[in-house]
Structures are given as C-alpha cells and as structure tokens.
Amino acid sequence: MLYREAGQFKTSYAADQAVFPILQDRLALALVLVVAFFAVPLLSTDYLLTSILIPFLILSLAAIGLNILVGYCGQISLGTGGLMAVGAYAAYNFAIRVPGLDLLVCFVLAGLTAAAVGMFFGVPSLRIKGFYLAVATLAAQFFLDWSFSRIRWFTNYTPSGSLAAPPLEILGFRITTPSGRYLLTLAIVVVMAALAKNLTRGRIGRSWMAIRDMDIAAEIIGIRPLQAKLSAFAVSSFFVGVAGALWAFVHLGSWEPAAFDINRSFSLLFMVIIGGLGSILGCFLGAGFILVVPLVLNQLPTAFGIPLSTAMISNLENMIFGSLIIFFLITEPRGLARLWAIAKEKLRLWPFPH
Amino acid sequence: MGFFFEVAIGGLLAGVLYSLVALGFVLIFKASGVFNFAQGAMVLFAALSLVRLAEIMPFALALMLACAIMVGLAFAVERLILRPLVNQEGIILFMATIGLSFFLDGFGQAIWGSDIYILDFGVPKDPIFILESLFEGGILVNEFDIFAAVVAGVLVLVLATFFQKTRIGRALRAVADDHQAAQSIGIPLNQIWIIVWAVAGFVALVAGMVWGSKLGVQFSIALVALKALPVLILGGFTSVPGAIIGGLIIGTGEKLSEVFIGPLVGGGIESWFAYVVALLFLLVRPQGLFGERIIERV
C-alpha cells in the first residue's frame, strides 16, 4: 500500500485530465526534478556529467522524437541519425552565418529546419507503409550523410570536414563548465519532454495513434492521414533536430559526419523499442539502458579479471543489444515503461497479492 | 560509346551480386511475410564461417559444414524468434530481424574473428576484352564478374525448379499465398519456416562466397547487403524475377550515375543513388515492378 490512491478524489475535469493525476507521481516527479536541477550539478563529478548525464539527456530527447514517429504514429524510420545531422549542421550554419543570433534561437531554427527536411522525407509515407517506408527512410539517412560530407557549403568549406561548435553563449551568459552545460541540456529536455507529453495526449496525438492502430479506419472516422502523418514527421524531426544540435554543440563540441551515421539511427530505434513504444517515460529509460550497457560491459570483465579486447567488447555489445531487442519484443513488446507500469500496479496492492 | 557499354556491363555484373542478396530477402518474405533485415548479416556470417573453416579443413568439407551451420541457424531462428512472435505484426517481426542482424554481426565476428580473410577458389580475376570487333579497343570486363553472373544464373534456375517442381516448393508457395489455408490443409508452418530460412541461409552462403572472393571476407559485406534493399523495392518484395531485374537496374544505374553524373556533384553518389531511385519509384508504383498489387479494404 505504498502507492495508495484511495481518497484522492477528482472534483473537476481539469483534475481528471491532469498529466499526473496521482499525488505520488507528482511528488516523485518534483523530487526527480529537484534532484536533477540542484543536487546533481553540485554532487556529481565532471566525468559523470559530461560522459553520462549529458549524452543521456540528449539521446532521450532524440528518442522522444523518434518515439513520436514510431511509437505514436506507427511510421518506422531508420533515418533518425540523418535528421540529427540536419539539426547539428543547421544550428552550426545559423550560428556562424547570422551574427548576433542567440544560440537558443539557433537551436529552435535547427529544429525547424529538421522538421522541414523530415516532412519532405515523410511524403512517401502517404503512399507506402511498413517495410517500404523503413527502406525509404534509409534513403534519407544515406542522402543526408552524403550531403554533409560532400557539399562543402554545409561545413563552411573547412578543409577537414570536421566542425567545431561556436562557444556556448545563451542570453549573454557564457557556458563553460560541465555543470552549466548539463543544466542547459536539462532545461531544454525538460521543457521539450513536457511539450511532447502534452502533444501526445491531445488531439494531434490521438490522431497519430489512430493512424498507427488502423490507418484506414482512422481515415473513415475523419482523421486526415496527410495531416496526421506529416505532422508526426514534422514534430518528430523537430525534436530529433534539436537533439542533434545539442549533441553537436553541447556534447561533442566538434564533430564529423560520422557522428550521425546509420548506427546512430539504429541505437535510437533500440532505445525506443527497449524503453517502450508509445511512452515518453520509456524514452528516458531506454536511453539510460542503452548507455549503461556498454559501460557495464567495459567495466565488468576487467573487474572479474578477464580483460577483453575492444573488438571483442564491441562484438559482445552487438550480440547483447541484438538479443535484448529480440527478448524485449518477445516478452514485453511495450518495453521498460510497461515494466514500470506493472511495478506501480504491484505497489498499489503491496503487501497483499490481490 | 565503348566506354559507356563498359561501365554499363560492369554495373550489370555488380547488379548480379545485389540480386543474389536480394534473392534471400524475397524467399523469406514470400514464404513467411517476414521482412528479413538480417539477410546481410547472414551473408557475412556464412562467408566468415566458410572462410575460417576452410583454413582448417578441405574446402568441400568446409562448404558442407557451412551449409550445416546455416541450417542450424534456420532452426534456431524458427525456434527462438519466429515461434514466440507468431501472429505479431509484421513491423514487430521486422524489428526482431534487426535485432538478429546485430546479434549475428557480433556473434560471427566474436567466434570467427574480424580481420579481412581471403577467399579464393581459383577463379581468375583478370580483366579481359570482349567484342573487340564491334567497338574500338573492345570492352573491358572482369572474368570474375562473369563467373559470378553464371553462379547467380544457376542459383536462380535451381531455386525456380525447387519452387515449381518439388513437393516442398509447392508447400512453400501455398504458405506464401495464405498461411491459414495452408495450415488447415495440413502443411506444417513451423517446418516450412525452417526450410525457407535454411534456403535463405544457403543463398546467403552463395552470395557470401561470391562477394567474399571479390572483396575479401570482412564486415563491409554486411553493409554492401544494404544495397539489396533498394533492389527489393524496385523489384517488389515478392518476386524472384523482380529481385534479379531490380538488381541489374540498380547495379547499372549506380555505376552509370557514378561515372557520368557523379563528377558534377562531387562524387560518391553511389551511396545513396539506389535509395533515391527506389524512393522516387515508390511514389509512382508502391508495390514495385513485379510486386503484387496491395489492395486494402475495410
């Protein structure tokens, strides 16, 4: 009975439709946010911030974007890496070509650019679906990969093809410390996650889910597939684009096209599947999971005194990810988020079984 | 003109290799409706198994053993992936095969090593000139590519006979047509899946042998197999002739565009040309050249 809802009455529609209708959830979220905003920057080391928490937050954001497309709208995409690259290169070009533009504005513009590109590559989804669409999004991935490495204008004619992000300056503040970068990322991710959560609960989100569950039936009840699918592509790409810009500017600092290759697309897809299709919380869980597995793999064998070569570790990583995907699809197609929901159910009744 | 044909023929022969990989996809999709993303990983796995086994035993024995490994893989896939996921949506099965492809990539390289291995069965790789009477200087082709084309042709003939003339082939076609109907007249679905995946494994082995002896057996083979995807789109997911013709079109188009359009836009367009062609084609004809028409009713 740790998770008791008895006695929490709702007396208004607003209370009934709240994102977190249960007190415990609201408290837990508030606690998580307080810890994330205040305790974490003070207590954690620079290593933890720069190599785990910042990538975790950014990848979660990208996973939210992909989840909107795959989990909510049912349009499978293998081109997420390419769209992250669009965000990164767009932010770079806005930042260096438009003097005096605030970086936050650059990030938003980068997101919008990615949304436009995403919609363009989403057009085929109106005629094709399922596997055909998956292959079509690979076209986006390969084409974007190629254009960022070959079209020199995007990289501002740098000879090496690798780019260095301009210094992080937001609203006149220069951000240099890891905790500053962490807070910036966290703020953006929290705002956008709340946005995503609300979008998916509303009319647009409902129409996405209707298209996902049965597109023809959705069309018959008056949902326009054109609007629903393209808006899913646009919103999804916006999130992915902002994540790409953050990945390049805040996490990497300097990057090459290879930072956004097809493996990035796959790992994001894995995050979404493992975390839970159609769940915002799942994106965070999935991203955390995918990030932690390689770290554990790197640490565990040495801790047990079995040093493995890096090639072996990456092979093991592939094997473990592959089996995990299959395992999750078989046992719990709705991923870690579903496990969390089950745990909550259990806690409601604890310590009694019924 | 001679140069144009030279490029085109080179493309055609490269396309044959794409077709070989695409063939494996088509087989599985036809018989089980599973879009097998792992076909590329299977090609790599088969080739790696063959080349490493051939190091310690006679080639014929290694070939047989590699075949056995692919059959074993088919059993494992049916048992561990397809059976628990039966009746799930196609997209779930597709994602499961992405998982399988990651697993096989890691597994293959973990047990067989991840260096570049040379696979050589004595086919000369010298360029030769043909049709010297017709064009000035003749047309340059690679002997090995012709050999690959012959192998692909033979494989298609064997598969066509297998599908059309044998009892199992008929059962496979019945399953492809309608799972439930096939099951209700007593065709065991599980066995059919094993057979299909085993045949796809065998095709992967042949593709791996040909690719492997051309490029060396290494990880890039699994990536080359990604080229088979646009081939499939062009030809249609359910058509064996579509896989062949799609492969030829993609192969030729790719080489011609690289040589004649590539220099205008900075080169390297081989990496996406096939995909973009396939994408544009999808907009016009979503089911591919030879695919079955998709009819949806409520």
Side-chain angles (χ1 to χ4, degrees):
Chain A
M1 281 191 269
L2 287 171
Y3 205 80
R4 191 205 300 262
E5 317 164 32
Q8 296 186 28
F9 301 115
K10 294 151 196 150
T11 50
S12 65
Y13 284 117
D16 197 36
Q17 292 174 343
V19 186
F20 297 104
I22 299 166
L23 181 68
Q24 284 92 332
D25 282 346
R26 286 198 294 272
L27 289 178
L29 185 75
L31 188 70
V32 167
L33 285 181
V34 168
V35 169
F37 272 106
F38 299 104
V40 169
L42 287 176
L43 296 177
S44 58
T45 58
D46 283 359
Y47 167 76
L48 188 66
L49 285 175
T50 48
S51 33
I52 298 179
L53 289 175
I54 292 178
F56 161 69
L57 287 170
I58 300 174
L59 290 177
S60 304
L61 185 62
I64 290 175
L66 183 62
N67 211 342
I68 285 174
L69 196 61
V70 182
Y72 285 98
C73 198
Q75 311 291 312
I76 193 161
S77 164
L78 296 173
T80 330
L83 285 166
M84 275 180 87
V86 171
Y89 284 91
Y92 175 80
N93 279 306
F94 281 118
I96 57 159
R97 286 176 206 279
V98 187
L101 202 60
D102 193 81
L103 264 193
L104 274 183
V105 183
C106 286
F107 288 161
V108 174
L109 289 173
L112 292 175
T113 315
V117 176
M119 270 169 85
F120 177 74
F121 282 106
V123 170
S125 75
L126 302 173
R127 288 216 63 181
I128 54 178
K129 50 186 81 163
F131 318 119
Y132 285 95
L133 186 63
V135 179
T137 53
L138 272 178
Q141 173 74 43
F142 287 121
F143 180 72
L144 292 169
D145 260 3
W146 174 85
S147 31
F148 292 125
S149 56
R150 295 301 174 114
I151 300 178
R152 311 300 303 278
W153 187 85
F154 288 129
T155 52
N156 200 20
Y157 304 98
T158 44
S160 64
S162 81
L163 293 182
L168 280 174
E169 208 172 283
I170 306 275
L171 306 173
F173 293 104
R174 188 72 169 268
I175 296 170
T176 45
T177 60
S179 50
R181 286 188 286 143
Y182 164 76
L183 284 174
L184 170 71
T185 319
L186 182 66
I188 293 177
V189 171
V190 166
V191 170
M192 291 188 70
L195 191 71
K197 183 80 193 169
N198 277 304
L199 267 178
T200 52
R201 280 155 31 90
R203 191 182 59 82
I204 299 180
R206 293 275 160 203
S207 66
W208 293 340
M209 284 186 260
I211 290 282
R212 169 195 68 188
D213 291 339
M214 196 172 180
D215 49 355
I216 300 174
E219 205 174 333
I220 287 167
I221 60 169
I223 290 163
R224 292 186 191 161
L226 177 97
Q227 283 179 2
K229 285 181 179 171
L230 286 189
S231 66
F233 268 97
V235 173
S236 157
S237 311
F238 180 81
F239 278 72
V240 171
V242 173
L246 287 174
W247 188 256
F249 278 52
V250 181
H251 176 52
L252 296 176
S254 66
W255 74 94
E256 294 172 350
F260 303 102
D261 63 357
I262 187 162
N263 285 325
R264 177 69 54 214
S265 302
F266 280 127
S267 81
L268 281 167
L269 191 63
F270 287 179
M271 283 174 201
V272 171
I273 296 174
I274 290 182
L277 288 164
S279 156
I280 301 293
L281 171 73
C283 300
F284 289 94
L285 298 177
F289 192 84
I290 296 278
L291 269 175
V292 165
V293 168
L295 289 173
V296 171
L297 274 181
N298 274 316
Q299 304 293 332
L300 213 60
T302 33
F304 280 113
I306 326 162
L308 290 175
S309 66
T310 40
M312 197 55 164
I313 288 177
S314 82
N315 288 334
L316 275 179
E317 226 175 272
N318 280 344
M319 284 168 70
I320 289 173
F321 280 151
S323 350
L324 272 178
I325 290 290
I326 296 170
F327 176 78
F328 266 97
L329 287 172
I330 290 172
T331 55
E332 190 48 86
R334 290 168 65 194
L336 291 171
R338 177 72 191 145
L339 293 181
W340 170 240
I342 293 172
K344 283 209 299 197
E345 288 293 318
K346 298 263 182 222
L347 280 178
R348 245 171 221 155
L349 302 169
W350 191 84
F352 307 111
H354 299 293
Chain B
M1 206 56 195
F3 179 63
F4 178 83
F5 279 110
E6 198 172 297
V7 174
I9 287 177
L12 275 177
L13 294 170
V16 167
L17 296 177
Y18 296 150
S19 307
L20 271 181
V21 184
L23 212 53
F25 279 102
V26 170
L27 286 176
I28 289 179
F29 191 82
K30 247 175 108 78
S32 57
V34 177
F35 184 95
N36 178 27
F37 194 82
Q39 189 67 28
M42 279 167 67
V43 172
L44 174 66
F45 184 69
L48 270 178
S49 308
L50 176 67
V51 77
R52 293 313 299 269
L53 285 171
E55 282 174 14
I56 49 172
M57 57 182 72
F59 187 80
L61 196 59
L63 192 62
M64 270 150 65
L65 215 54
C67 269
I69 289 176
M70 295 318 282
V71 173
L73 180 71
F75 268 95
V77 166
E78 195 278 328
R79 190 78 222 190
L80 300 174
I81 304 178
L82 293 179
R83 202 178 291 184
L85 283 176
V86 71
N87 272 342
Q88 292 275 10
E89 282 173 58
I91 215 78
I92 300 273
L93 287 162
F94 167 65
M95 290 197 264
T97 61
I98 296 184
L100 176 66
S101 101
F102 267 69
F103 179 80
L104 277 184
D105 278 347
F107 183 64
Q109 294 184 73
I111 52 173
W112 300 121
S114 41
D115 295 328
I116 301 174
Y117 303 98
I118 308 295
L119 182 63
D120 191 6
F121 31 73
V123 180
K125 290 180 185 164
D126 307 319
I128 49 169
F129 289 96
I130 56 168
L131 299 177
E132 275 175 278
S133 53
L134 218 58
F135 300 104
E136 194 186 335
I139 291 174
L140 194 68
V141 285
N142 199 318
E143 255 181 287
F144 181 81
D145 288 337
I146 294 174
F147 165 76
V150 172
V151 169
V154 170
L155 188 67
V156 171
L157 278 181
V158 169
L159 285 175
T161 337
F162 175 69
F163 265 87
Q164 299 295 334
K165 303 285 175 197
T166 65
R167 215 180 130 76
I168 299 173
R170 260 205 304 283
L172 287 180
R173 278 187 291 144
V175 171
D177 206 43
D178 188 338
H179 281 192
Q180 281 184 342
Q183 213 169 11
S184 64
I185 56 164
I187 295 172
L189 221 48
N190 290 333
Q191 281 179 28
I192 293 296
W193 279 339
I194 294 177
I195 292 170
V196 164
W197 278 74
V199 173
F202 172 70
V203 174
L205 181 63
V206 175
M209 274 162 65
V210 177
W211 273 117
S213 49
K214 193 177 161 81
L215 302 173
V217 177
Q218 53 172 324
F219 183 70
S220 69
I221 287 185
L223 299 178
V224 168
L226 281 177
K227 280 280 166 56
L229 295 176
V231 169
L232 283 169
I233 284 198
L234 206 64
F237 282 170
T238 49
S239 161
V240 170
I244 308 293
I245 294 172
L248 297 180
I249 294 176
I250 292 281
T252 325
E254 207 175 66
K255 288 283 177 296
L256 286 176
S257 65
E258 178 68 55
V259 172
F260 292 104
I261 307 173
L264 305 177
V265 292
I269 63 173
E270 248 183 308
S271 67
W272 55 264
F273 180 80
Y275 277 92
V276 173
V277 167
L279 184 64
L280 295 176
F281 190 77
L282 274 183
L283 291 174
V284 185
R285 202 180 146 83
Q287 70 272 30
L289 274 177
F290 298 92
E292 288 154 30
R293 193 156 188 86
I294 309 159
I295 300 169
E296 279 185 330
R297 288 198 195 93
V298 180

